Amino acid sequence: MGYAVLLYFDDKTEQSILALRHVLTKQGVETSIDKSGKRPHVSLAGFSDVTNSDLLILLVQEYAKNLKSFDVRFDSLDVFPSTESVLFLSPTPTIQLLTYHKEFHQKLSRNKFVSSLYYVPENWMPHCTVKMNIPEEQLAKAAEACGKNFKPIQGQFQEIGVVEYFPVKSLETWSIAAK
C-alpha cells in the first residue's frame, strides 16, 4: 500500500479547482482522477510502502497541532514532462509553504520515514493536479481548455490528511488552526 500526506484547501478554493476539472470533463478529457474521488490538494510526502501506518498517522496528527492555516495562490498552469501527462496548478512557493514542508520532512526523518524522492525538500515541486494520465492525443486540447478557463486562485490551506492508495482511501484528516 502507498500512503501520502496532503494539504487541503478551503471550500471556495477546492470548488474552483473542481470547476476547472469539470470544464475539462465537459471537453471530453476524462481521466482516472475523475473516478478516484481525490480532493484537490498539494502533497507534502508520498510513500510507496509504510510498515507502520499508525505511526505515520500519529506523526501527522502531532504535526497538525503546530500548523496555522496559511495562504495559497495559484497563478500558473503547467504540465509535467512525463508519461503520466499531469496537468497541474502551480502554487506560488511562499516561505510558509516551504518552511512547513521542510519541517515536516525533518520530523519524518527523525522517525525513520523516507518519502519518495519527488517530495524531499531538494526535489519537491509543489503542485495541485487538475488531471493526470491524460491521453496523449488530448493533452494539447486539455491545456488549451484549461488556459482559456483558468483565472488565478487565492485561498488557504486549512486541513492536512493522510491517504492510502490505490484505491485512494482517506485515513485521517485534521483541521489546521486559524491564523
Side-chain angles (χ1 to χ4, degrees):
M1 280 294 154
Y3 295 86
V5 178
L6 313 176
L7 285 173
Y8 296 113
F9 311 105
D10 60 278
D11 288 337
K12 184 179 175 192
T13 303
E14 186 168 312
Q15 291 308 311
S16 295
I17 297 164
L18 289 173
L20 197 53
R21 285 182 183 173
H22 184 69
V23 163
L24 293 177
T25 300
K26 283 180 26 182
Q27 294 283 323
V29 180
E30 207 163 334
T31 66
S32 59
I33 203 166
D34 300 307
K35 299 173 184 101
S36 71
K38 284 175 79 173
R39 290 175 62 191
H41 62 271
V42 170
S43 299
L44 287 180
F47 309 91
S48 58
D49 190 31
V50 169
T51 55
N52 189 343
S53 60
D54 291 336
L55 178 57
L56 177 62
I57 290 168
L58 182 62
L59 290 173
V60 176
Q61 181 180 22
E62 287 174 7
Y63 187 69
K65 291 176 186 175
N66 297 317
L67 294 180
K68 301 279 186 229
S69 62
F70 60 105
D71 294 339
V72 61
R73 182 170 171 90
F74 294 101
D75 286 311
S76 63
L77 185 65
D78 207 345
V79 176
F80 281 126
S82 70
T83 57
E84 295 167 323
S85 300
V86 178
L87 183 62
F88 65 92
L89 298 173
S90 184
T92 302
T94 63
I95 297 293
Q96 185 105 48
L97 177 60
L98 298 174
T99 300
Y100 278 166
H101 178 256
K102 184 176 181 179
E103 289 172 354
F104 182 66
H105 277 264
Q106 289 168 343
K107 185 174 192 68
L108 289 173
S109 180
R110 286 191 301 271
N111 288 278
K112 310 289 189 254
F113 281 93
V114 179
S115 179
S116 160
L117 288 177
Y118 289 121
Y119 298 101
V120 295
E122 300 79 32
N123 298 336
W124 186 53
M125 183 167 177
H127 67 280
C128 176
T129 300
V130 176
K131 294 275 187 167
M132 66 186 295
N133 297 317
I134 300 169
E136 188 175 328
E137 66 278 3
Q138 290 186 318
L139 189 55
K141 174 183 173 181
E144 182 180 344
C146 251
K148 286 180 181 176
N149 290 280
F150 174 72
K151 292 178 178 63
I153 300 169
Q154 176 74 42
Q156 284 199 326
F157 288 111
Q158 291 190 338
E159 295 179 312
I160 188 170
V162 178
V163 298
E164 177 183 88
Y165 60 87
F166 288 105
V168 176
K169 176 183 169 190
S170 178
L171 299 179
E172 293 284 345
T173 304
W174 301 271
S175 292
I176 298 172
K179 292 188 211 183

